[in-house]
Amino acid sequence: MLEYSNRLSAKEYCELRSAVGWQQIIEEQAQSGIEHSDFIIACRDNNGIVGCARVFWDKGYIAYLADVMVKPEYQKQGIGKRMVNECISFIDRQLKDGWRIKIMIVSAKGKEPFYEKFGFEIRPNINDGAGMQVWRTR
Ligand SMILES: CC(C)(COP(=O)(O)OP(=O)(O)OC[C@H]1O[C@@H](n2cnc3c(N)ncnc32)[C@H](O)[C@@H]1OP(=O)(O)O)[C@@H](O)C(=O)NCCC(=O)NCCS
C-alpha cells in the first residue's frame, strides 16, 4: 500500500535520483537541500521509497518546485500527480488576501505535458523569455 508523508532521508533522495537516471549529488548536499526545503512530500510502499517532490518558497511571491521523481516501475499510476498537487496545496495555504505566488519549475525534457496538466505554462512564450540556468561547481 502506498503511504505519503513529509519526511525524506538523503539516502532515499539519492536512491530516487539514481532510479530516474539523474546525475548523483553527494549525500551531504542532498541532506542540506532536504533540511532547507519549505515543503517535502514522499511516497513509500513496503519496499521503500517510491517518489518525492519538494518546494522552496521565499515567503514572498516566488516558489520553486523541484525534484519531482517517481521510480520508473511506479510511474503512470497517479503518484506524481498526487505529489505535485500536495506541493501546490502547500503554496495555496500560504496565500494571504491580495497575494500572488508564482511557482516555477524547470521541466525535464519531454515532461512538459505532465506539468501543463497543473496549469504550468511553457516558456518561452509570447510574453516570457526562456528559463535559463548556470551551474557553479567546486
Ligand atoms: C514526470 C513524472 C514525475 C510523472 O510521474 P507519474 O507518477 O508517472 O505521473 P502520473 O501517473 O501522476 O501522471 C499524471 C498525469 O500526467 C500524465 N503524464 C505523466 N507523465 C507524462 C509524460 N511524460 N508526458 C505526458 N503526460 C504525462 C499522465 O498520463 C497523467 O495524465 P491524467 O491525469 O490525464 O491521467 C515521472 O515520470 C518521473 O519521475 N520521471 C523521471 C524524473 C523526471 O523527469 N521528473 C520530472 C522532473 S522536472
Side-chain angles (χ1 to χ4, degrees):
M1 200 178 88
L2 295 174
E3 284 187 354
Y4 292 86
S5 79
N6 301 118
R7 65 189 163 80
L8 178 69
S9 72
K11 200 164 175 285
E12 289 173 322
Y13 172 84
C14 291
E15 183 184 330
L16 285 171
R17 282 191 78 97
S18 143
V20 301
W22 288 0
Q23 202 179 343
Q24 209 46 263
I25 61 170
I26 61 173
E27 218 168 285
E28 176 201 9
Q29 198 179 4
Q31 181 62 39
S32 180
I34 289 166
E35 279 169 18
H36 294 95
S37 298
D38 293 291
F39 180 81
I40 287 192
I41 180 87
C43 176
R44 294 181 187 77
D45 74 359
N46 297 338
N47 298 316
I49 193 74
V50 164
C52 75
R54 58 197 187 113
V55 175
F56 321 105
W57 172 52
D58 71 349
K59 316 295 182 284
Y61 87 104
I62 290 289
Y64 189 88
L65 172 62
D67 294 335
V68 183
M69 301 185 271
V70 177
K71 278 187 175 171
E73 59 272 35
Y74 292 88
Q75 289 175 8
K76 303 277 180 194
Q77 297 175 35
I79 297 169
K81 183 179 185 172
R82 160 86 185 256
M83 296 193 303
V84 170
N85 275 327
E86 297 260 358
C87 289
I88 293 172
S89 295
F90 164 76
I91 291 301
D92 286 349
R93 291 196 295 276
Q94 314 309 317
L95 287 165
K96 297 179 185 171
D97 286 347
W99 280 39
R100 302 164 72 214
I101 299 179
K102 177 160 71 172
I103 308 176
M104 311 290 297
I105 172 89
V106 176
S107 176
K109 197 136 192 121
K111 300 299 190 291
E112 296 87 349
F114 169 73
Y115 293 107
E116 281 183 298
K117 287 178 183 283
F118 304 93
F120 287 90
E121 293 170 314
I122 291 178
R123 302 180 65 140
N125 57 44
I126 197 153
N127 295 314
D128 304 308
M132 295 176 73
Q133 65 189 24
V134 62
W135 283 92
R136 310 287 297 156
T137 58
R138 196 174 100 173

